[in-house]
C-alpha cells in the first residue's frame, strides 16, 4: 500500500508539473538594432560582414521579408513599437534632443507601453540599452512600466567613453554609471545576467542595442576581424555589427543554458533603415538592394529585418512574404502572454 501511495504521489506531481509547464506564460525577448542597413546581414545578402547568430536565428525561426517600421527614424519608431499604435495618433513624430528645451517632451503619459501591460500581468520587466522616449523623470523607463533599466535615455552614446556624454549618461536604474567597458559588450552582459536571474519568473526583456548607430567606435578585438575591408568607416561599422551579433548569440545561448528556449518568444528587428544619404550622419551601412535611407519613406528607410522565434510553438526555417509592421510586436506579445488587451492597436497578433 505504501509503495502504491508513493507511486501515486509521484504521478500526481508529474501531472501537475506538466500542466504547469503547459500553462507557463512565455518570456518575451525583443531585440532591436539601431540604424542597421537592410543589406548588412547574411540573410539579406551581405557578403562582407558575417552575422552568424542573426542568420542562425532566422534559420530556426520565421523571417518576414516585407517587414516595415512605422517611422523612418528612431524615436517615433520606438514609440510605435512600445505602444502598438501609429505614433501619429499621439503626436510623437519627431526625434527628441537632450537639451533642456525638450525636458517636458516624451512618449505621452496617456499611452500604455508594452512594459506596462506585461508588468500588470505579473511579468518582471527590463530595458537594457537605448530608450530615447523622454529624459524627464516622468518619462524615465522605470516610470513607464520597466522594473529595471540599464542604458541611456538619449539618441546616441559613446561606446568607449562615458565622459563624452555628460548630458546623456549611462544609468543603472536611476543611478549614473561613470565607467564603462565597450558598451555593446556591457549591454550583452546585463541582458544575460537578467535572464539568469529571472529564469523562474516570466519576464519581458527589451534589449535595445545602440549598435550600429554613430559614433563609429570599435575595439581592436572586433576591428581585427575585418582587415580585408579597405574603407575605414565600413570596416568600423562591420566591427560594431559583429560585436552586436556576438552579443545576440550570447543572449540566445543564455536562454538555452537556462532551459528557456521553449518558454521564450523572441523578436528580432531593426528600428529603421541605415543612414546612407547626404544630410544624415552616415555610419557606413548599406540598404542594398533597396532605394533610400533613414529619414526617408522609401523602402531603404522603413523596410527592416524581422524574425520571430518560439521553439516548439511556431514553425522553423520559414520565410513569410506578407507585409507586416513593427506595430505587430506588442499585440503578438500580449496574445502569447494571455494578457487581455484594452485600447486600440494598429498592429495585429501575428501568431495565427
Amino acid at each position: 500500500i505504501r509503495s502504491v501511495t508513493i507511486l501515486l504521489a509521484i504521478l500526481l506531481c508529474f501531472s501537475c508539473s506538466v500542466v504547469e509547464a503547459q500553462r507557463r506564460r512565455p518570456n518575451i525577448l525583443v531585440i532591436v538594432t539601431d540604424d542597421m542597413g537592410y543589406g548588412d546581414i547574411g540573410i539579406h545578402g551581405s557578403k562582407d560582414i558575417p552575422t552568424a547568430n542573426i542568420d542562425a536565428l532566422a534559420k530556426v525561426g520565421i523571417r518576414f521579408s516585407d517587414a516595415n517600421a512605422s517611422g523612418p527614424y528612431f524615436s517615433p519608431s520606438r514609440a510605435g513599437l512600445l505602444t502598438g499604435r501609429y505614433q501619429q495618433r499621439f503626436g510623437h513624430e519627431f526625434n527628441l534632443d537632450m537639451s533642456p528645451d525638450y525636458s517636458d517632451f516624451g512618449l505621452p503619459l496617456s499611452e500604455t507601453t508594452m512594459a506596462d501591460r506585461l508588468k500588470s500581468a505579473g511579468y518582471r520587466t527590463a530595458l537594457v540599452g537605448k530608450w530615447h522616449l523622454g529624459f524627464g523623470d516622468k518619462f524615465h523607463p522605470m516610470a513607464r512600466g520597466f522594473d529595471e533599466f540599464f542604458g541611456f535615455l538619449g539618441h546616441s552614446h559613446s561606446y568607449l567613453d562615458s565622459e563624452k556624454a555628460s548630458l546623456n549618461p549611462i544609468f543603472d536604474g536611476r543611478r549614473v554609471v561613470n565607467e564603462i567597458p565597450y558598451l555593446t559588450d556591457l549591454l550583452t552582459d546585463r541582458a544575460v545576467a537578467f535572464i539568469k536571474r529571472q529564469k523562474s519568473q516570466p519576464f519581458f526583456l527589451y534589449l535595445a542595442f545602440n549598435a550600429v548607430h554613430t559614433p563609429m567606435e570599435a575595439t581592436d578585438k572586433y576591428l581585427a576581424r575585418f582587415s580585408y575591408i579597405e574603407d575605414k568607416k565600413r570596416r568600423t561599422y562591420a566591427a560594431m555589427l559583429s560585436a552586436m551579433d556576438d552579443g545576440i548569440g550570447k543572449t540566445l545561448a543564455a536562454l538555452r543554458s537556462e532551459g528557456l528556449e521553449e518558454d521564450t518568444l523572441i523578436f528580432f528587428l531593426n528600428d529603421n533603415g541605415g543612414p546612407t544619404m547626404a544630410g544624415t550622419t552616415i555610419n557606413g551601412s548599406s540598404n542594398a538592394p533597396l532605394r533610400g535611407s533613414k529619414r526617408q519613406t522609401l523602402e531603404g528607410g522603413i523596410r527592416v529585418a524581422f524574425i520571430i522565434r518560439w521553439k516548439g510553438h511556431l514553425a522553423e526555417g520559414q520565410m513569410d512574404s506578407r507585409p507586416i509592421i513593427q506595430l505587430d510586436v506588442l499585440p503578438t506579445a500580449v496574445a502569447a502572454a494571455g494578457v487581455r488587451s484594452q485600447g486600440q492597436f494598429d498592429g495585429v497578433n501575428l501568431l495565427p
Side-chain angles (χ1 to χ4, degrees):
I1 293 174
R2 185 183 178 194
S3 298
V4 172
T5 302
I6 292 172
L7 179 60
L8 288 174
I10 291 172
L11 291 173
L12 179 61
C13 289
F14 177 75
S15 176
C16 290
S17 66
V18 169
V19 171
E20 180 62 28
Q22 291 173 340
R23 289 178 178 174
R24 178 187 168 99
R25 291 172 298 169
N27 307 311
I28 309 295
L29 171 60
V30 178
I31 303 173
V32 177
T33 72
D34 195 348
D35 279 8
M36 185 178 74
Y38 185 84
D40 289 327
I41 52 179
I43 56 173
H44 290 167
S46 175
K47 302 299 183 184
D48 60 344
I49 308 176
T51 52
N53 293 296
I54 296 171
D55 297 349
L57 181 63
K59 188 173 292 186
V60 295
I62 301 172
R63 174 166 70 94
F64 289 86
S65 61
D66 193 3
N68 303 273
S70 62
Y73 45 87
F74 28 75
S75 190
S77 175
R78 290 161 200 268
L81 171 68
L82 288 182
T83 61
R85 288 158 46 82
Y86 282 108
Q87 58 273 10
Q88 288 87 349
R89 290 193 182 276
F90 44 89
H92 196 99
E93 301 178 61
F94 55 93
N95 274 338
L96 299 171
D97 199 340
M98 289 297 294
S99 70
D101 293 340
Y102 281 80
S103 61
D104 204 39
F105 289 90
L107 180 65
L109 303 182
S110 58
E111 295 303 309
T112 304
T113 70
M114 192 184 321
D116 288 323
R117 295 179 187 278
L118 292 171
K119 181 177 180 177
S120 66
Y123 276 67
R124 183 73 179 177
T125 58
L127 163 59
V128 175
K130 174 175 176 173
W131 175 237
H132 203 202
L133 291 173
F135 63 92
D137 287 343
K138 61 186 176 182
F139 300 116
H140 190 280
M142 294 177 71
R144 306 308 304 271
F146 288 98
D147 295 308
E148 301 182 27
F149 169 55
F150 185 90
F152 58 95
L153 300 174
H155 55 81
S156 64
H157 198 284
S158 170
Y159 295 80
L160 296 167
D161 188 354
S162 60
E163 298 299 321
K164 290 182 179 179
S166 58
L167 291 177
N168 184 29
I170 298 292
F171 285 93
D172 187 349
R174 297 180 183 272
R175 178 180 63 84
V176 173
V177 176
N178 292 317
E179 294 185 8
I180 60 171
Y182 191 58
L183 186 53
T184 302
D185 294 343
L186 178 59
L187 297 180
T188 297
D189 291 344
R190 294 297 296 230
V192 168
F194 176 81
I195 289 170
K196 291 181 178 294
R197 184 167 18 96
Q198 296 299 328
K199 60 184 177 182
S200 62
Q201 175 187 1
F203 62 77
F204 166 45
L205 173 57
Y206 175 33
L207 176 52
F209 285 104
N210 57 317
V212 281
H213 193 288
T214 55
M216 306 309 294
E217 297 173 344
T219 62
D220 292 341
K221 169 186 173 181
Y222 297 114
L223 286 167
R225 299 176 179 178
F226 300 97
S227 58
Y228 55 85
I229 298 180
E230 294 184 3
D231 181 81
K232 182 179 179 181
K233 182 169 285 188
R234 179 69 176 176
R235 183 167 64 250
T236 305
Y237 174 87
M240 295 165 67
L241 180 51
S242 187
M244 180 174 63
D245 184 70
D246 280 5
I248 291 169
K250 290 176 182 176
T251 303
L252 300 179
L255 294 175
R256 288 193 296 272
S257 68
E258 300 300 330
L260 297 175
E261 271 195 303
E262 294 192 4
D263 296 324
T264 305
L265 173 59
I266 303 166
F267 299 87
F268 169 83
L269 65 152
N270 195 38
D271 61 347
N272 47 252
T276 60
M277 70 174 185
T280 64
T281 307
I282 295 173
N283 65 355
S285 57
S286 169
N287 293 318
L290 307 178
R291 184 167 62 100
S293 165
K294 171 187 175 179
R295 295 187 177 275
Q296 294 181 316
T297 50
L298 295 169
E299 283 203 318
I302 58 171
R303 191 165 161 188
V304 297
F306 197 110
I307 302 166
I308 294 180
R309 157 77 159 161
W310 190 4
K311 183 177 180 180
H313 299 265
L314 297 178
E316 297 190 5
Q318 292 195 3
M319 185 176 75
D320 196 311
S321 61
R322 287 171 289 186
I324 64 166
I325 195 166
Q326 108 282 16
L327 306 180
D328 299 334
V329 171
L330 192 156
T332 305
V334 297
V339 177
R340 181 169 294 179
S341 302
Q342 296 182 347
Q344 177 188 17
F345 292 146
D346 293 310
V348 300
N349 172 17
L350 295 175
L351 292 179

